Amino acid sequence: MSNDPSVFCFSGSEYIETLLARNRAWAQRLSTDRPGLFPALAESQHPQILWIGCSDSRVPETSLLDLLPGEVFVHRNIANVLPNGDLSSLSVIQYAIEKLEVRHIIVCGHHNCGGVLAALGDKKLGLIDNWIKNIRDVRAKHKAELDTIDNPQEQCSRLVELNVIAQVHNLKRMANVQKAIKRGVQVHGLVYGVGTGRAEILEIPRDPDAESYVIKATPE
Ligand SMILES: [Zn+2]
């Protein structure tokens, strides 16, 4: 097997065996570095973070936060949205808050997000349009501002940010999240650069209809 992580064989019957060999090597490495980790994880989990992110393969929360198994509870979907009545995300949020008692909830969008790019276009995509509609609603709300941005990549980045802000506000409208915030749970909005590997904090305006916000520089 090549040591170059960019070289994978995506076809052929050996592919799953290759993955399993990588899994065993990873488990061995981690068992050596952290001898008590796997036995402790077999007993329970105590993550401090609920991560709500995009399904995009370039945004692996555990890797980019440099965390270990057991440190982050995760919900990912296309373009990190929290639609009304979505049982999957609502169940994850309830479990994370009420059972795991996480201390931080992070909503993370990312630049070059395919779901956001799709929402900026009007092309019919089939079933997925029902999901993309959640982002198109954010786009519609901020149409006047987005129309002033000529550069397509900048327009995408702005909608990525507006979408994170919208989803943080959706989160904060939930009764169980409001109770959790009163107990001291913190809610954060992040934007991740797939081309840099760096996440930035979005300062979320209190007013869900506010147009302006600032991006805090990540501490060095
Ligand atoms: Zn995405």
mmCIF file of all heavy atoms in Angstrom, residues 8-51:
data_model
loop_
_atom_site.group_PDB
_atom_site.id
_atom_site.type_symbol
_atom_site.label_atom_id
_atom_site.label_comp_id
_atom_site.label_asym_id
_atom_site.label_seq_id
_atom_site.Cartn_x
_atom_site.Cartn_y
_atom_site.Cartn_z
ATOM 1 N N PHE A 8 -5.426 6.226 -3.550
ATOM 2 C CA PHE A 8 -6.343 5.188 -3.125
ATOM 3 C C PHE A 8 -6.788 4.400 -4.345
ATOM 4 O O PHE A 8 -6.920 4.952 -5.428
ATOM 5 C CB PHE A 8 -7.599 5.781 -2.473
ATOM 6 C CG PHE A 8 -7.366 6.253 -1.067
ATOM 7 C CD1 PHE A 8 -7.093 7.592 -0.819
ATOM 8 C CD2 PHE A 8 -7.416 5.379 -0.008
ATOM 9 C CE1 PHE A 8 -6.871 8.041 0.468
ATOM 10 C CE2 PHE A 8 -7.197 5.812 1.286
ATOM 11 C CZ PHE A 8 -6.932 7.151 1.526
ATOM 12 N N CYS A 9 -7.050 3.130 -4.128
ATOM 13 C CA CYS A 9 -7.642 2.337 -5.190
ATOM 14 C C CYS A 9 -9.143 2.285 -4.915
ATOM 15 O O CYS A 9 -9.587 1.701 -3.928
ATOM 16 C CB CYS A 9 -7.054 0.932 -5.188
ATOM 17 S SG CYS A 9 -7.906 -0.157 -6.324
ATOM 18 N N PHE A 10 -9.937 2.957 -5.753
ATOM 19 C CA PHE A 10 -11.366 3.033 -5.496
ATOM 20 C C PHE A 10 -12.147 1.899 -6.139
ATOM 21 O O PHE A 10 -13.344 1.811 -5.980
ATOM 22 C CB PHE A 10 -11.921 4.382 -5.991
ATOM 23 C CG PHE A 10 -11.520 5.514 -5.084
ATOM 24 C CD1 PHE A 10 -10.456 6.328 -5.401
ATOM 25 C CD2 PHE A 10 -12.203 5.740 -3.909
ATOM 26 C CE1 PHE A 10 -10.079 7.358 -4.558
ATOM 27 C CE2 PHE A 10 -11.837 6.769 -3.059
ATOM 28 C CZ PHE A 10 -10.767 7.579 -3.384
ATOM 29 N N SER A 11 -11.458 1.068 -6.915
ATOM 30 C CA SER A 11 -12.176 -0.037 -7.539
ATOM 31 C C SER A 11 -11.477 -1.341 -7.180
ATOM 32 O O SER A 11 -10.354 -1.342 -6.684
ATOM 33 C CB SER A 11 -12.213 0.152 -9.061
ATOM 34 O OG SER A 11 -10.890 0.207 -9.529
ATOM 35 N N GLY A 12 -12.164 -2.410 -7.415
ATOM 36 C CA GLY A 12 -11.551 -3.713 -7.147
ATOM 37 C C GLY A 12 -11.969 -4.229 -5.790
ATOM 38 O O GLY A 12 -12.308 -3.482 -4.885
ATOM 39 N N SER A 13 -11.898 -5.554 -5.643
ATOM 40 C CA SER A 13 -12.394 -6.195 -4.425
ATOM 41 C C SER A 13 -11.481 -5.966 -3.232
ATOM 42 O O SER A 13 -11.851 -6.223 -2.103
ATOM 43 C CB SER A 13 -12.554 -7.699 -4.677
ATOM 44 O OG SER A 13 -11.301 -8.224 -5.058
ATOM 45 N N GLU A 14 -10.244 -5.481 -3.492
ATOM 46 C CA GLU A 14 -9.299 -5.281 -2.380
ATOM 47 C C GLU A 14 -9.597 -3.998 -1.620
ATOM 48 O O GLU A 14 -9.003 -3.760 -0.567
ATOM 49 C CB GLU A 14 -7.842 -5.212 -2.886
ATOM 50 C CG GLU A 14 -7.369 -6.403 -3.681
ATOM 51 C CD GLU A 14 -7.748 -6.294 -5.154
ATOM 52 O OE1 GLU A 14 -8.054 -5.165 -5.595
ATOM 53 O OE2 GLU A 14 -7.770 -7.325 -5.825
ATOM 54 N N TYR A 15 -10.492 -3.168 -2.133
ATOM 55 C CA TYR A 15 -10.641 -1.840 -1.525
ATOM 56 C C TYR A 15 -11.060 -1.924 -0.065
ATOM 57 O O TYR A 15 -10.487 -1.262 0.797
ATOM 58 C CB TYR A 15 -11.651 -1.000 -2.325
ATOM 59 C CG TYR A 15 -11.765 0.425 -1.808
ATOM 60 C CD1 TYR A 15 -10.615 1.207 -1.627
ATOM 61 C CD2 TYR A 15 -12.988 0.975 -1.489
ATOM 62 C CE1 TYR A 15 -10.693 2.496 -1.141
ATOM 63 C CE2 TYR A 15 -13.072 2.270 -0.998
ATOM 64 C CZ TYR A 15 -11.922 3.029 -0.825
ATOM 65 O OH TYR A 15 -12.003 4.296 -0.344
ATOM 66 N N ILE A 16 -12.068 -2.787 0.226
ATOM 67 C CA ILE A 16 -12.543 -2.858 1.616
ATOM 68 C C ILE A 16 -11.452 -3.455 2.511
ATOM 69 O O ILE A 16 -11.302 -3.043 3.674
ATOM 70 C CB ILE A 16 -13.886 -3.626 1.720
ATOM 71 C CG1 ILE A 16 -14.486 -3.480 3.117
ATOM 72 C CG2 ILE A 16 -13.742 -5.090 1.350
ATOM 73 C CD1 ILE A 16 -14.927 -2.080 3.475
ATOM 74 N N GLU A 17 -10.680 -4.412 1.961
ATOM 75 C CA GLU A 17 -9.579 -4.969 2.751
ATOM 76 C C GLU A 17 -8.532 -3.894 3.047
ATOM 77 O O GLU A 17 -7.962 -3.846 4.140
ATOM 78 C CB GLU A 17 -8.907 -6.156 2.022
ATOM 79 C CG GLU A 17 -9.647 -7.469 2.129
ATOM 80 C CD GLU A 17 -10.781 -7.594 1.132
ATOM 81 O OE1 GLU A 17 -10.857 -6.713 0.228
ATOM 82 O OE2 GLU A 17 -11.604 -8.517 1.245
ATOM 83 N N THR A 18 -8.305 -3.032 2.085
ATOM 84 C CA THR A 18 -7.352 -1.933 2.296
ATOM 85 C C THR A 18 -7.844 -1.031 3.416
ATOM 86 O O THR A 18 -7.079 -0.625 4.301
ATOM 87 C CB THR A 18 -7.197 -1.109 0.996
ATOM 88 O OG1 THR A 18 -6.765 -1.983 -0.036
ATOM 89 C CG2 THR A 18 -6.191 0.013 1.172
ATOM 90 N N LEU A 19 -9.135 -0.736 3.399
ATOM 91 C CA LEU A 19 -9.695 0.116 4.454
ATOM 92 C C LEU A 19 -9.568 -0.548 5.821
ATOM 93 O O LEU A 19 -9.227 0.096 6.817
ATOM 94 C CB LEU A 19 -11.175 0.413 4.168
ATOM 95 C CG LEU A 19 -11.473 1.370 3.019
ATOM 96 C CD1 LEU A 19 -12.976 1.554 2.873
ATOM 97 C CD2 LEU A 19 -10.808 2.724 3.241
ATOM 98 N N LEU A 20 -9.866 -1.858 5.860
ATOM 99 C CA LEU A 20 -9.777 -2.562 7.145
ATOM 100 C C LEU A 20 -8.337 -2.621 7.659
ATOM 101 O O LEU A 20 -8.104 -2.508 8.867
ATOM 102 C CB LEU A 20 -10.351 -3.981 7.017
ATOM 103 C CG LEU A 20 -11.868 -4.030 6.886
ATOM 104 C CD1 LEU A 20 -12.338 -5.454 6.621
ATOM 105 C CD2 LEU A 20 -12.547 -3.474 8.138
ATOM 106 N N ALA A 21 -7.382 -2.757 6.743
ATOM 107 C CA ALA A 21 -5.972 -2.768 7.156
ATOM 108 C C ALA A 21 -5.609 -1.404 7.745
ATOM 109 O O ALA A 21 -4.904 -1.317 8.761
ATOM 110 C CB ALA A 21 -5.084 -3.092 5.958
ATOM 111 N N ARG A 22 -6.101 -0.332 7.115
ATOM 112 C CA ARG A 22 -5.854 1.024 7.640
ATOM 113 C C ARG A 22 -6.512 1.183 9.004
ATOM 114 O O ARG A 22 -5.966 1.791 9.907
ATOM 115 C CB ARG A 22 -6.387 2.075 6.661
ATOM 116 C CG ARG A 22 -5.606 2.124 5.356
ATOM 117 C CD ARG A 22 -6.239 3.107 4.389
ATOM 118 N NE ARG A 22 -6.055 4.482 4.838
ATOM 119 C CZ ARG A 22 -5.112 5.296 4.366
ATOM 120 N NH1 ARG A 22 -4.274 4.878 3.442
ATOM 121 N NH2 ARG A 22 -5.003 6.522 4.818
ATOM 122 N N ASN A 23 -7.724 0.617 9.165
ATOM 123 C CA ASN A 23 -8.432 0.704 10.447
ATOM 124 C C ASN A 23 -7.621 0.032 11.547
ATOM 125 O O ASN A 23 -7.463 0.567 12.649
ATOM 126 C CB ASN A 23 -9.819 0.061 10.317
ATOM 127 C CG ASN A 23 -10.403 -0.280 11.673
ATOM 128 O OD1 ASN A 23 -10.457 -1.439 12.055
ATOM 129 N ND2 ASN A 23 -10.799 0.742 12.422
ATOM 130 N N ARG A 24 -7.100 -1.158 11.242
ATOM 131 C CA ARG A 24 -6.353 -1.893 12.269
ATOM 132 C C ARG A 24 -5.072 -1.161 12.654
ATOM 133 O O ARG A 24 -4.703 -1.115 13.826
ATOM 134 C CB ARG A 24 -6.068 -3.310 11.787
ATOM 135 C CG ARG A 24 -7.359 -4.113 11.731
ATOM 136 C CD ARG A 24 -7.169 -5.605 11.608
ATOM 137 N NE ARG A 24 -8.486 -6.224 11.600
ATOM 138 C CZ ARG A 24 -9.175 -6.497 10.516
ATOM 139 N NH1 ARG A 24 -8.679 -6.222 9.332
ATOM 140 N NH2 ARG A 24 -10.374 -7.038 10.588
ATOM 141 N N ALA A 25 -4.430 -0.586 11.651
ATOM 142 C CA ALA A 25 -3.196 0.167 11.931
ATOM 143 C C ALA A 25 -3.522 1.387 12.814
ATOM 144 O O ALA A 25 -2.795 1.704 13.759
ATOM 145 C CB ALA A 25 -2.555 0.603 10.618
ATOM 146 N N TRP A 26 -4.642 2.055 12.505
ATOM 147 C CA TRP A 26 -5.068 3.232 13.292
ATOM 148 C C TRP A 26 -5.379 2.833 14.724
ATOM 149 O O TRP A 26 -4.951 3.487 15.679
ATOM 150 C CB TRP A 26 -6.307 3.842 12.621
ATOM 151 C CG TRP A 26 -7.012 4.881 13.434
ATOM 152 C CD1 TRP A 26 -6.674 6.192 13.579
ATOM 153 C CD2 TRP A 26 -8.198 4.692 14.227
ATOM 154 N NE1 TRP A 26 -7.571 6.833 14.410
ATOM 155 C CE2 TRP A 26 -8.503 5.933 14.824
ATOM 156 C CE3 TRP A 26 -9.019 3.591 14.503
ATOM 157 C CZ2 TRP A 26 -9.608 6.102 15.668
ATOM 158 C CZ3 TRP A 26 -10.109 3.768 15.333
ATOM 159 C CH2 TRP A 26 -10.383 5.008 15.910
ATOM 160 N N ALA A 27 -6.146 1.725 14.883
ATOM 161 C CA ALA A 27 -6.523 1.274 16.231
ATOM 162 C C ALA A 27 -5.278 0.897 17.036
ATOM 163 O O ALA A 27 -5.181 1.206 18.224
ATOM 164 C CB ALA A 27 -7.479 0.086 16.129
ATOM 165 N N GLN A 28 -4.324 0.251 16.377
ATOM 166 C CA GLN A 28 -3.084 -0.138 17.057
ATOM 167 C C GLN A 28 -2.292 1.092 17.509
ATOM 168 O O GLN A 28 -1.806 1.170 18.639
ATOM 169 C CB GLN A 28 -2.239 -1.013 16.118
ATOM 170 C CG GLN A 28 -0.955 -1.537 16.735
ATOM 171 C CD GLN A 28 -1.224 -2.383 17.990
ATOM 172 O OE1 GLN A 28 -2.007 -3.319 17.960
ATOM 173 N NE2 GLN A 28 -0.608 -2.018 19.107
ATOM 174 N N ARG A 29 -2.211 2.062 16.581
ATOM 175 C CA ARG A 29 -1.466 3.295 16.863
ATOM 176 C C ARG A 29 -2.089 4.033 18.047
ATOM 177 O O ARG A 29 -1.417 4.462 18.978
ATOM 178 C CB ARG A 29 -1.510 4.177 15.609
ATOM 179 C CG ARG A 29 -0.331 5.088 15.422
ATOM 180 C CD ARG A 29 -0.240 5.642 14.007
ATOM 181 N NE ARG A 29 -1.475 6.189 13.490
ATOM 182 C CZ ARG A 29 -2.123 5.743 12.417
ATOM 183 N NH1 ARG A 29 -1.658 4.704 11.757
ATOM 184 N NH2 ARG A 29 -3.238 6.311 12.004
ATOM 185 N N LEU A 30 -3.414 4.158 18.020
ATOM 186 C CA LEU A 30 -4.110 4.912 19.069
ATOM 187 C C LEU A 30 -4.034 4.159 20.402
ATOM 188 O O LEU A 30 -3.900 4.774 21.464
ATOM 189 C CB LEU A 30 -5.565 5.154 18.643
ATOM 190 C CG LEU A 30 -6.347 6.225 19.376
ATOM 191 C CD1 LEU A 30 -5.570 7.532 19.485
ATOM 192 C CD2 LEU A 30 -7.685 6.480 18.684
ATOM 193 N N SER A 31 -4.113 2.820 20.349
ATOM 194 C CA SER A 31 -4.008 2.020 21.580
ATOM 195 C C SER A 31 -2.638 2.194 22.219
ATOM 196 O O SER A 31 -2.511 2.215 23.448
ATOM 197 C CB SER A 31 -4.210 0.531 21.285
ATOM 198 O OG SER A 31 -5.516 0.314 20.812
ATOM 199 N N THR A 32 -1.617 2.353 21.365
ATOM 200 C CA THR A 32 -0.254 2.545 21.880
ATOM 201 C C THR A 32 -0.106 3.943 22.481
ATOM 202 O O THR A 32 0.431 4.111 23.576
ATOM 203 C CB THR A 32 0.773 2.356 20.736
ATOM 204 O OG1 THR A 32 0.565 1.067 20.177
ATOM 205 C CG2 THR A 32 2.199 2.484 21.239
ATOM 206 N N ASP A 33 -0.638 4.943 21.747
ATOM 207 C CA ASP A 33 -0.507 6.338 22.212
ATOM 208 C C ASP A 33 -1.373 6.615 23.435
ATOM 209 O O ASP A 33 -0.982 7.381 24.315
ATOM 210 C CB ASP A 33 -0.921 7.314 21.095
ATOM 211 C CG ASP A 33 0.056 7.291 19.928
ATOM 212 O OD1 ASP A 33 1.146 6.720 20.098
ATOM 213 O OD2 ASP A 33 -0.275 7.836 18.868
ATOM 214 N N ARG A 34 -2.574 6.040 23.463
ATOM 215 C CA ARG A 34 -3.530 6.286 24.570
ATOM 216 C C ARG A 34 -4.032 4.940 25.074
ATOM 217 O O ARG A 34 -5.148 4.511 24.722
ATOM 218 C CB ARG A 34 -4.743 7.094 24.049
ATOM 219 C CG ARG A 34 -4.346 8.363 23.337
ATOM 220 C CD ARG A 34 -4.447 9.506 24.280
ATOM 221 N NE ARG A 34 -4.020 10.740 23.635
ATOM 222 C CZ ARG A 34 -4.265 11.938 24.092
ATOM 223 N NH1 ARG A 34 -4.961 12.082 25.190
ATOM 224 N NH2 ARG A 34 -3.835 13.014 23.472
ATOM 225 N N PRO A 35 -3.267 4.283 25.911
ATOM 226 C CA PRO A 35 -3.583 2.891 26.284
ATOM 227 C C PRO A 35 -4.966 2.698 26.902
ATOM 228 O O PRO A 35 -5.587 1.674 26.688
ATOM 229 C CB PRO A 35 -2.483 2.553 27.288
ATOM 230 C CG PRO A 35 -1.384 3.519 27.026
ATOM 231 C CD PRO A 35 -2.015 4.762 26.504
ATOM 232 N N GLY A 36 -5.486 3.681 27.664
ATOM 233 C CA GLY A 36 -6.769 3.455 28.321
ATOM 234 C C GLY A 36 -7.977 3.921 27.536
ATOM 235 O O GLY A 36 -9.113 3.789 27.993
ATOM 236 N N LEU A 37 -7.726 4.492 26.338
ATOM 237 C CA LEU A 37 -8.830 5.153 25.630
ATOM 238 C C LEU A 37 -9.953 4.199 25.227
ATOM 239 O O LEU A 37 -11.117 4.413 25.583
ATOM 240 C CB LEU A 37 -8.300 5.901 24.405
ATOM 241 C CG LEU A 37 -9.375 6.635 23.592
ATOM 242 C CD1 LEU A 37 -9.999 7.771 24.394
ATOM 243 C CD2 LEU A 37 -8.803 7.176 22.276
ATOM 244 N N PHE A 38 -9.625 3.151 24.482
ATOM 245 C CA PHE A 38 -10.695 2.281 23.988
ATOM 246 C C PHE A 38 -11.453 1.586 25.125
ATOM 247 O O PHE A 38 -12.696 1.528 25.088
ATOM 248 C CB PHE A 38 -10.163 1.283 22.953
ATOM 249 C CG PHE A 38 -9.858 1.919 21.622
ATOM 250 C CD1 PHE A 38 -8.589 1.842 21.067
ATOM 251 C CD2 PHE A 38 -10.836 2.608 20.920
ATOM 252 C CE1 PHE A 38 -8.308 2.442 19.836
ATOM 253 C CE2 PHE A 38 -10.566 3.213 19.693
ATOM 254 C CZ PHE A 38 -9.295 3.128 19.152
ATOM 255 N N PRO A 39 -10.762 1.061 26.163
ATOM 256 C CA PRO A 39 -11.526 0.478 27.281
ATOM 257 C C PRO A 39 -12.460 1.485 27.938
ATOM 258 O O PRO A 39 -13.596 1.148 28.295
ATOM 259 C CB PRO A 39 -10.422 0.021 28.251
ATOM 260 C CG PRO A 39 -9.227 -0.210 27.388
ATOM 261 C CD PRO A 39 -9.315 0.812 26.299
ATOM 262 N N ALA A 40 -12.024 2.746 28.078
ATOM 263 C CA ALA A 40 -12.884 3.766 28.690
ATOM 264 C C ALA A 40 -14.082 4.070 27.798
ATOM 265 O O ALA A 40 -15.210 4.230 28.285
ATOM 266 C CB ALA A 40 -12.085 5.043 28.937
ATOM 267 N N LEU A 41 -13.854 4.128 26.476
ATOM 268 C CA LEU A 41 -14.950 4.427 25.545
ATOM 269 C C LEU A 41 -15.971 3.290 25.514
ATOM 270 O O LEU A 41 -17.150 3.523 25.221
ATOM 271 C CB LEU A 41 -14.406 4.686 24.130
ATOM 272 C CG LEU A 41 -13.601 5.977 23.955
ATOM 273 C CD1 LEU A 41 -13.042 6.067 22.537
ATOM 274 C CD2 LEU A 41 -14.455 7.206 24.256
ATOM 275 N N ALA A 42 -15.515 2.075 25.809
ATOM 276 C CA ALA A 42 -16.451 0.950 25.843
ATOM 277 C C ALA A 42 -17.443 1.106 26.997
ATOM 278 O O ALA A 42 -18.560 0.587 26.947
ATOM 279 C CB ALA A 42 -15.680 -0.362 25.989
ATOM 280 N N GLU A 43 -17.042 1.841 28.030
ATOM 281 C CA GLU A 43 -17.909 2.034 29.210
ATOM 282 C C GLU A 43 -18.936 3.130 28.973
ATOM 283 O O GLU A 43 -20.104 2.998 29.331
ATOM 284 C CB GLU A 43 -17.048 2.404 30.428
ATOM 285 C CG GLU A 43 -16.058 1.328 30.862
ATOM 286 C CD GLU A 43 -16.745 0.043 31.304
ATOM 287 O OE1 GLU A 43 -17.800 0.129 31.948
ATOM 288 O OE2 GLU A 43 -16.236 -1.048 30.965
ATOM 289 N N SER A 44 -18.508 4.273 28.405
ATOM 290 C CA SER A 44 -19.418 5.414 28.249
ATOM 291 C C SER A 44 -18.783 6.475 27.364
ATOM 292 O O SER A 44 -17.612 6.369 26.997
ATOM 293 C CB SER A 44 -19.723 6.034 29.617
ATOM 294 O OG SER A 44 -18.518 6.477 30.209
ATOM 295 N N GLN A 45 -19.582 7.489 27.046
ATOM 296 C CA GLN A 45 -19.052 8.648 26.318
ATOM 297 C C GLN A 45 -19.421 9.914 27.076
ATOM 298 O O GLN A 45 -20.510 10.003 27.657
ATOM 299 C CB GLN A 45 -19.600 8.699 24.877
ATOM 300 C CG GLN A 45 -21.104 8.816 24.755
ATOM 301 C CD GLN A 45 -21.554 9.159 23.324
ATOM 302 O OE1 GLN A 45 -20.857 9.823 22.581
ATOM 303 N NE2 GLN A 45 -22.758 8.709 22.964
ATOM 304 N N HIS A 46 -18.497 10.881 27.085
ATOM 305 C CA HIS A 46 -18.738 12.163 27.745
ATOM 306 C C HIS A 46 -18.257 13.319 26.866
ATOM 307 O O HIS A 46 -17.404 14.104 27.287
ATOM 308 C CB HIS A 46 -18.014 12.213 29.099
ATOM 309 C CG HIS A 46 -18.414 11.109 30.022
ATOM 310 N ND1 HIS A 46 -19.626 11.096 30.679
ATOM 311 C CD2 HIS A 46 -17.775 9.955 30.367
ATOM 312 C CE1 HIS A 46 -19.715 9.983 31.405
ATOM 313 N NE2 HIS A 46 -18.614 9.276 31.226
ATOM 314 N N PRO A 47 -18.799 13.425 25.658
ATOM 315 C CA PRO A 47 -18.348 14.526 24.794
ATOM 316 C C PRO A 47 -18.807 15.873 25.352
ATOM 317 O O PRO A 47 -19.896 15.973 25.924
ATOM 318 C CB PRO A 47 -19.035 14.216 23.458
ATOM 319 C CG PRO A 47 -20.256 13.445 23.828
ATOM 320 C CD PRO A 47 -19.876 12.640 25.041
ATOM 321 N N GLN A 48 -17.972 16.881 25.200
ATOM 322 C CA GLN A 48 -18.324 18.231 25.653
ATOM 323 C C GLN A 48 -18.946 19.056 24.531
ATOM 324 O O GLN A 48 -19.456 20.140 24.762
ATOM 325 C CB GLN A 48 -17.062 18.955 26.144
ATOM 326 C CG GLN A 48 -16.405 18.301 27.346
ATOM 327 C CD GLN A 48 -17.242 18.459 28.601
ATOM 328 O OE1 GLN A 48 -17.471 19.559 29.065
ATOM 329 N NE2 GLN A 48 -17.722 17.349 29.129
ATOM 330 N N ILE A 49 -18.848 18.523 23.313
ATOM 331 C CA ILE A 49 -19.247 19.309 22.137
ATOM 332 C C ILE A 49 -20.298 18.568 21.316
ATOM 333 O O ILE A 49 -20.164 17.368 21.065
ATOM 334 C CB ILE A 49 -18.021 19.541 21.215
ATOM 335 C CG1 ILE A 49 -16.903 20.260 21.969
ATOM 336 C CG2 ILE A 49 -18.414 20.331 19.957
ATOM 337 C CD1 ILE A 49 -15.561 20.139 21.254
ATOM 338 N N LEU A 50 -21.339 19.308 20.910
ATOM 339 C CA LEU A 50 -22.225 18.838 19.840
ATOM 340 C C LEU A 50 -21.830 19.614 18.595
ATOM 341 O O LEU A 50 -21.842 20.847 18.595
ATOM 342 C CB LEU A 50 -23.704 19.106 20.176
ATOM 343 C CG LEU A 50 -24.675 18.974 18.985
ATOM 344 C CD1 LEU A 50 -24.652 17.575 18.385
ATOM 345 C CD2 LEU A 50 -26.100 19.345 19.416
ATOM 346 N N TRP A 51 -21.490 18.892 17.553
ATOM 347 C CA TRP A 51 -21.068 19.489 16.273
ATOM 348 C C TRP A 51 -22.198 19.306 15.258
ATOM 349 O O TRP A 51 -22.663 18.186 15.033
ATOM 350 C CB TRP A 51 -19.815 18.776 15.768
ATOM 351 C CG TRP A 51 -19.335 19.173 14.400
ATOM 352 C CD1 TRP A 51 -19.737 18.673 13.193
ATOM 353 C CD2 TRP A 51 -18.330 20.153 14.103
ATOM 354 N NE1 TRP A 51 -19.044 19.262 12.170
ATOM 355 C CE2 TRP A 51 -18.175 20.172 12.707
ATOM 356 C CE3 TRP A 51 -17.540 20.998 14.884
ATOM 357 C CZ2 TRP A 51 -17.252 21.026 12.075
ATOM 358 C CZ3 TRP A 51 -16.620 21.835 14.258
ATOM 359 C CH2 TRP A 51 -16.495 21.846 12.868
#
